Amino acid sequence: MNLSTNNNIETRITYQGPIERVVVQFAMRAEAEPLIEKFELSFYSLVDRLPHLLFAKGKVGNIELHVVTHGTDARYEVDRVGTENATLAAFKAIEIAQPHLIINAGTAGGFKLQGAAIADVYISSGIVFHDHRIPLGAYREYGNGNFPVAYAPHMIDAISLKSGVVSTGNSLDVLPADFEQFRHSKAAVKDMEAAAVAQVAFDQGVPCLAIKAVTDLVDEPCNVGEIFLKNLSQASTALTEKLSRIIGVLAQGARLESL
Ligand code: SAH
């Protein structure tokens, strides 16, 4: 695994040893549950002011695997999707688990233009924001994020993952201005969390990548909410299958540079 240096910023990652602790972060409980069941992880919660965050952990081969989900919103009884919750969950998970790798896993909208199809599973070749438009000098690129990502060429081949740019924003629907950004970044998939997780991970010196399964196609006119629900189960199955294989590789003992 290499660290992509697509923005020429020195990474803060200093750890060179084996990957022994891994966090997989999901926004939605339905996305996380199959993995928690498969690896028989045990739930634990935090005795602090963030009781909605749901944690599970267990030993898988050589690694300690932690799963964190954003939990349910107490007022609206929906999963707490989006960047604010992603930032908080990533920060807390890194504090608790001290991971050598954090994976933001979940579903995403895909771009047909980039060859995406329903239930394809992507690994991030780059992670950007598309709804942080700040046309003001260096703030423009600051807004775009363009975070360094851990990139695993051997794993891409061995597990047959697609690879592409993950673009994050806080809306499920899209505005014309978003399409400008997608063209600029050559986005393959669009989600609501990856860039927030990547930013926290970068700040904390933890390698980060995103694994996203396609539930809907952004550049095909549709009711995105309906299509999302129709394909959620198929995409979640594909996501769990690929994640299980990734965890299988990590569980055998791996270093970042060998992935
Ligand atoms: N309709 C869904 C809401 C899901 S919100 C429900 O009722 O449960 C969308 C979640 O899936 C976010 O966590 C986001 O990361 C991901 N996602 C899937 N498709 C997306 C798309 N087209 N655009 C943005 N996020 C998407």
Side-chain angles (χ1 to χ4, degrees), residues 109-119 172-174 179 182 188 190 214-228 230-231:
F111 292 87
K112 247 186 358 183
L113 193 67
Q114 298 287 337
I118 301 297
L172 191 60
D173 64 4
V174 257
F179 277 109
F182 299 141
K190 157 185 181 287
V214 174
T215 41
D216 50 274
L217 294 169
V218 184
D219 44 0
E220 185 162 83
C222 68
N223 177 333
V224 62
E226 259 175 39
I227 299 285
F228 172 92
K230 178 168 163 270
N231 295 321

Side-chain angles (χ1 to χ4, degrees), residues 27-28 81 107-109 172 190-193 215-216 224 228-229:
M28 302 180 74
V81 302
T107 55
L172 191 60
K190 157 185 181 287
D191 82 335
M192 300 173 64
E193 293 87 15
T215 41
D216 50 274
V224 62
F228 172 92
L229 289 178

Side-chain angles (χ1 to χ4, degrees), residues 12 16 36 46 55 71 75 85 119-120 132 177 180 196 207 223-224:
R12 300 172 188 210
Q16 306 276 326
I36 293 173
L46 301 179
F55 286 87
R75 291 187 302 155
N85 296 293
D120 278 352
H132 291 191
E180 291 275 307
N223 177 333
V224 62

Side-chain angles (χ1 to χ4, degrees), residues 22-26 31-36 38-39 60 63 65 67 102-107 121-123 155 159 161 209-213 235-251:
V22 176
V23 166
V24 185
Q25 177 173 340
F26 296 88
E31 296 165 340
E33 257 163 7
L35 200 78
I36 293 173
K38 174 157 187 117
F39 292 108
V60 185
I63 60 166
L65 177 64
V67 166
I102 181 164
I103 299 174
N104 176 225
T107 55
V121 181
Y122 277 84
I123 185 170
M155 215 148 65
I159 298 175
L161 295 162
L209 58 85
I211 302 288
K212 299 279 161 169
S236 292
T237 304
L239 179 67
T240 306
E241 196 255 321
K242 300 290 186 194
L243 278 174
S244 302
R245 291 175 63 187
I246 292 170
I247 289 160
V249 171
L250 297 171

Side-chain angles (χ1 to χ4, degrees), residues 129-152:
F129 283 113
H130 57 259
D131 64 352
H132 291 191
R133 293 180 296 276
I134 321 175
L136 191 65
Y139 282 98
R140 183 188 297 272
E141 286 311 312
Y142 161 76
N144 291 342
N146 199 15
F147 301 102
V149 292
Y151 193 53

